[in-house]
Amino acid sequence: MARKETITVDRILETAFAMTREEGFANVTARKVAARAGCSTQPIFRTYKNMEELWSAVYLKAISFFQDYYGLYPRTGKAPFANLGMAYIAFAREEKHLFELLFLTGGTQGGVELSEDQKKSMYEILNGAGGNVVYEINLARVQGCANPGDIFMKMWIFIHGAACMTLTGDYDLSDLETMVLLEHAYNAFAGRNIGEHPYGDDRDADQGEEHGKTV
Amino acid sequence: MARKETITVDRILETAFAMTREEGFANVTARKVAARAGCSTQPIFRTYKNMEELWSAVYLKAISFFQDYYGLYPRTGKAPFANLGMAYIAFAREEKHLFELLFLTGGTQGGVELSEDQKKSMYEILNGAGGNVVYEINLARVQGCANPGDIFMKMWIFIHGAACMTLTGDYDLSDLETMVLLEHAYNAFAGRNIGEHPYGDDRDADQGEEHGKTV
DNA sequence: CAAGTAAAATAACAAGTGTTATATCATAGA
DNA sequence: TCTATGATATAACACTTGTTATTTTACTTG
């Protein structure tokens, strides 16, 4: 009765998502998506009412992509928050554009802006990935922290900081170093010292430039 | 001999910088700057070869703006890194667009991209603000840390994380709370416990959702 | 095979961008 | 006062964006 559909919703969304991963949200324009999908812009506006709907779909796909990524990330760490941190930081390193979209700009990127109810907070996204945040807090409690929520906040600030710094190239530690760093941080926040930071009068440290002005 | 100059370089740069503060780098377009400066686009291209040069000038102005901001920020904290952190986090809260430009995207924002040698790392920017980073590291050493560089890295990750989270609205503590948080973090990393995180079997904490799936 | 119908392609519109050619204007020097 | 000169304004070019009207194409059904 009519011509057969050749360009599907999936194909368009997959294309737009792949472009987001590789080039960032801002490069997902109607013509660029069409060119990469090998069609005109028309099928896009047949399957999506407008570009905003496509962007929204890409954003939602990015969320579930992260949740899968997080769910499948190997759990090799012993300390609470270590696996959470490892996965989050690895995601920032390997999926810079998706990380930026989800956790840095919160759905606002390069002129493209999602509506308020489309955006999700990092906590919503994380908790959607299997309720791990809650689990981490409980694990911290089980392991004897008086205030696991407080530790979670501190650890989360720390983890988020390291992840953000990977984007600008200011954090570039290996997985192993990151794991050690996360364990140190947890132990420090939990009040457990592991002999790594004895305080006394040791002045043999390497960093040695002289004086500055004010604090 | 000729018509008097009415639209100066300063006026254009000031306008573009004000727009960056208020609306972000991506909104600094030739026509928008001209409209706000009350002239046509022509004076812009007389004083700057092209928009890239203007953007570069805005970026440099943002750097020195931050350095002034940092230099003038009141020093009320006692712990090392507390004042650095307070100023940095306050800057992120009060100058979101400038913070984003300088420390999040590193000169890349909304299609506008600065050349590699124009961009500066956060360490360059910070050290330009009076060599305070070096001073902080030395202060940490004086106060008896075996590895002040290591503590600096950890504190910096922590401070940067809190600042980044202010942009997405995930960090919203008061100045006082932030100060306490920074002091706790420093003491934790330095191996000094202050009785805030005793570990034992205390399970009276407030956060209480149940179980998750995996770590 | 012919007809109808929906999908896809083409082309266009309006708005925005950087940039430049042209025209206007105001002022300093003759 | 007139003129030259450089600073502005105007207008246009070429390009990109989202979106839509129109045309072409291919396939299903009678």
Side-chain angles (χ1 to χ4, degrees):
Chain A
M1 206 171 182
R3 187 173 175 171
K4 206 170 83 182
E5 179 193 73
T6 53
I7 290 100
T8 62
V9 191
D10 278 1
R11 175 147 149 216
I12 291 168
L13 181 54
E14 281 298 335
T15 304
F17 180 69
M19 291 174 67
T20 304
R21 282 182 76 183
E22 295 169 22
E23 311 160 44
F25 212 44
N27 279 303
V28 180
T29 70
R31 283 174 182 79
K32 284 182 187 170
V33 170
R36 178 148 170 175
C39 63
S40 74
T41 60
Q42 208 46 233
I44 296 174
F45 294 102
R46 180 180 60 83
T47 50
Y48 293 96
K49 211 178 88 209
N50 48 37
M51 287 307 288
E52 205 169 285
E53 280 201 356
L54 174 55
W55 292 328
S56 175
V58 168
Y59 179 69
L60 293 177
K61 193 175 178 66
I63 289 177
S64 71
F65 181 91
F66 167 76
Q67 290 171 341
D68 288 348
Y69 185 98
Y70 181 66
L72 293 172
Y73 200 85
R75 265 69 177 171
T76 60
K78 305 274 190 301
F81 304 104
N83 292 320
L84 172 64
M86 290 295 289
Y88 193 75
I89 292 168
F91 186 77
R93 177 181 2 102
E94 291 169 23
E95 300 288 346
K96 288 195 196 313
H97 291 113
L98 295 184
F99 181 84
E100 194 175 352
L101 174 63
L102 294 177
F103 302 113
L104 227 52
T105 61
T108 308
Q109 212 174 349
V112 177
E113 181 132 7
L114 297 175
S115 67
E116 280 304 322
D117 52 326
Q118 286 173 333
K119 298 177 193 171
K120 293 195 176 182
S121 76
M122 51 172 83
Y123 297 113
E124 289 178 271
I125 296 172
L126 280 166
N127 278 317
N132 288 288
V133 168
V134 172
Y135 181 78
E136 295 282 1
I137 292 177
N138 279 334
L139 181 61
R141 180 183 298 109
V142 165
Q143 296 200 351
C145 295
N147 36 12
D150 185 58
I151 290 202
F152 172 71
M153 183 183 72
K154 289 176 181 169
M155 277 304 286
W156 187 244
I157 290 172
F158 191 78
I159 290 165
H160 185 67
C164 288
M165 285 171 77
T166 65
L167 291 205
T168 46
D170 294 297
Y171 180 91
D172 192 26
L173 297 189
S174 70
D175 279 351
L176 183 60
E177 290 169 317
T178 299
M179 182 64 88
V180 171
L181 187 72
L182 290 172
E183 286 172 354
H184 281 198
Y186 176 76
N187 286 324
F189 291 141
R192 295 185 179 84
N193 294 316
I194 49 178
E196 292 284 335
H197 303 302
Y199 48 97
D201 219 318
D202 188 344
R203 302 192 180 207
D204 303 324
D206 39 346
Q207 272 83 357
E209 278 90 340
E210 294 307 318
H211 70 283
K213 282 180 183 170
T214 62
V215 185
Chain B
M1 208 170 182
R3 187 174 178 172
K4 209 172 79 181
E5 180 193 73
T6 53
I7 289 99
T8 63
V9 190
D10 278 1
R11 175 146 149 219
I12 290 168
L13 181 53
E14 282 299 334
T15 304
F17 180 70
M19 291 173 67
T20 303
R21 281 182 76 182
E22 295 168 24
E23 312 160 43
F25 214 42
N27 280 302
V28 180
T29 70
R31 283 174 182 79
K32 285 181 186 170
V33 170
R36 180 149 169 177
C39 64
S40 74
T41 61
Q42 208 47 231
I44 296 173
F45 293 102
R46 180 181 61 84
T47 51
Y48 293 96
K49 211 179 87 207
N50 47 37
M51 287 307 288
E52 204 169 285
E53 280 202 357
L54 174 55
W55 292 328
S56 177
V58 168
Y59 178 69
L60 292 178
K61 194 175 178 68
I63 289 177
S64 72
F65 181 90
F66 167 76
Q67 290 171 340
D68 288 349
Y69 184 98
Y70 181 66
L72 293 172
Y73 201 85
R75 265 69 178 170
T76 60
K78 304 273 189 301
F81 304 103
N83 292 320
L84 172 64
M86 291 295 289
Y88 193 76
I89 292 168
F91 186 77
R93 179 184 357 104
E94 291 169 24
E95 300 288 347
K96 289 196 197 310
H97 291 115
L98 295 185
F99 181 84
E100 193 174 353
L101 175 62
L102 294 178
F103 302 112
L104 228 51
T105 61
T108 308
Q109 212 173 349
V112 177
E113 180 132 8
L114 297 174
S115 67
E116 280 304 321
D117 52 326
Q118 284 172 333
K119 298 176 194 172
K120 293 196 177 182
S121 76
M122 52 172 81
Y123 297 113
E124 289 179 270
I125 296 171
L126 280 166
N127 277 316
N132 288 287
V133 168
V134 172
Y135 181 77
E136 295 281 2
I137 292 178
N138 280 335
L139 182 61
R141 181 182 298 109
V142 165
Q143 297 201 350
C145 295
N147 36 13
D150 186 59
I151 290 199
F152 172 71
M153 183 183 72
K154 288 175 182 170
M155 277 304 286
W156 186 245
I157 290 172
F158 191 78
I159 289 166
H160 185 66
C164 288
M165 285 171 76
T166 65
L167 291 204
T168 46
D170 294 297
Y171 181 92
D172 193 25
L173 298 189
S174 70
D175 278 352
L176 184 61
E177 291 169 316
T178 299
M179 183 65 88
V180 171
L181 187 70
L182 290 172
E183 286 172 354
H184 281 198
Y186 176 76
N187 286 325
F189 290 140
R192 294 186 179 83
N193 294 317
I194 50 178
E196 292 284 336
H197 302 303
Y199 48 99
D201 219 316
D202 188 344
R203 304 194 178 206
D204 303 324
D206 39 345
Q207 273 79 358
E209 278 87 341
E210 294 308 317
H211 69 282
K213 284 181 184 171
T214 61
V215 185

